[in-house]
Amino acid sequence: MGTYKLVALDMDGTLLNDLQEVSETNRRWIQKAMEAGVIVCFSTGRGFRSALPYAEQLGLMNVPMITVNGSEIWSRPHVLHRRTLVDPETIKRMHRLALQHPEVWYWAYSTDAVYNKETWIQPADRYADHHWLKFGYYTEDDKAREAILKEVSSWGNLEITNSSPWNLEMNPLGITKASALRELCTMLKIDMSETVAVGDSLNDIAAIREAGLGVAMGNAQDEVKRAANAVTFTNQEHGVAEVLRKYVLKAKGAL
């Protein structure tokens, strides 16, 4: 076990409990890690605006942040380091595909807002007026989801993951939480072997595989657990606190 300098935390299903709250136990161990000189940062599929209140709550206002599955990398909150966009024509194509499946919920992140099935851009054909970051589909109909996955995969220009077993998330090809974590390591002069990545869904797998230590939550999808070096407690059982205690602070001799 090495000494880890950076811990990249997924939010939903990982740091946050099922009420979308940070438990007091998780908060306390994040504080201990930061006091020991460890950089703790978010690595989330959420957009910046929805991650920011948690960064403020936890005092993570001077550390980097990975949002929208790696499409945005922030040197610190409000200071953008890099942004990678999805081509407007591809968003148009994904929207048209969504309309072929009336039972499917869909949404898209742009740099200015989150649009969805009920609040799509107006006029609906002005794709080029927006800077797009990510597109998502949600359905509990396995056949519809598999049909969409097969179609979008055939295009060959998108990174396809999920943040729950019932959705699909599309980012530009090559853009993942792992590509963003590598970029952070370059910025901070940290080796990837000195990082820990923690998550529960397919959008966490690349980072879990490439980090020095990849940890799956107890509630993670099975594929994520298979990719990880270790499995911790669930998000309801303060699994992040356990990672920080067992693998990060113990290794630093900070306990």
Side-chain angles (χ1 to χ4, degrees), residues 1 18 25 32-33 46 59 67-68 78 81 83 94 101 109 124 157 168 184 186 195 197 200 209 215-216 227 236 252:
M1 193 191 306
D18 293 348
T25 303
K32 285 185 183 189
R46 287 182 176 230
T67 56
V68 211
H78 302 292
H81 171 72
R83 176 180 280 151
M94 286 191 281
H101 298 271
Y109 280 83
N157 66 336
L168 296 167
L184 285 194
T186 301
T195 65
D200 71 308
R209 285 187 175 134
V215 184
Q236 291 291 91
K252 278 185 81 74

Side-chain angles (χ1 to χ4, degrees), residues 59-239:
L60 304 181
M61 298 303 288
N62 289 307
V63 296
M65 199 176 190
I66 295 166
T67 56
V68 211
N69 290 340
S71 279
E72 290 183 328
I73 303 169
W74 305 82
S75 303
R76 62 178 189 275
H78 302 292
V79 181
L80 185 66
H81 171 72
R82 180 172 294 178
R83 176 180 280 151
T84 309
L85 300 176
V86 182
D87 173 71
E89 276 301 308
T90 302
I91 294 289
K92 179 180 180 179
R93 208 171 171 189
M94 286 191 281
H95 183 233
R96 281 184 175 166
L97 180 59
L99 297 178
Q100 292 170 28
H101 298 271
E103 75 283 14
V104 172
W105 177 262
Y106 60 87
W107 71 96
Y109 280 83
S110 78
T111 54
D112 61 321
V114 183
Y115 299 98
N116 62 40
K117 188 174 186 174
E118 293 176 352
T119 63
W120 195 244
I121 56 169
Q122 296 300 328
D125 59 347
R126 299 292 288 273
Y127 298 94
D129 290 354
H130 304 266
H131 296 103
W132 300 100
L133 295 163
K134 183 176 83 166
F135 194 98
Y137 301 92
Y138 177 96
T139 178
E140 294 180 21
D141 180 333
D142 293 345
K143 282 189 175 173
R145 194 169 54 256
E146 283 160 19
I148 290 169
L149 175 60
K150 185 177 180 184
E151 172 66 22
V152 175
S153 298
S154 75
W155 303 346
N157 66 336
L158 291 163
E159 202 68 46
I160 306 169
T161 61
N162 75 23
S163 59
S164 91
W166 302 282
N167 75 24
L168 296 167
E169 298 197 348
M170 284 74 176
N171 288 78
L173 190 65
I175 296 300
T176 64
K177 292 184 180 185
S179 66
L181 187 57
R182 286 196 301 270
E183 182 79 12
L184 285 194
C185 284
T186 301
M187 283 166 57
L188 299 167
K189 296 181 171 55
I190 291 173
D191 195 84
M192 278 290 275
S193 65
E194 298 172 309
T195 65
V196 179
V198 190
D200 71 308
S201 296
L202 299 192
N203 61 352
D204 298 302
I205 277 191
I208 281 173
R209 285 187 175 134
E210 289 193 38
L213 178 70
V215 184
M217 299 298 291
N219 53 287
Q221 295 170 45
D222 288 343
E223 199 175 330
V224 182
K225 290 180 178 176
R226 287 194 292 270
N229 304 111
V231 178
T232 187
F233 302 154
T234 71
N235 66 317
Q236 291 291 91
E237 301 166 324
H238 326 293

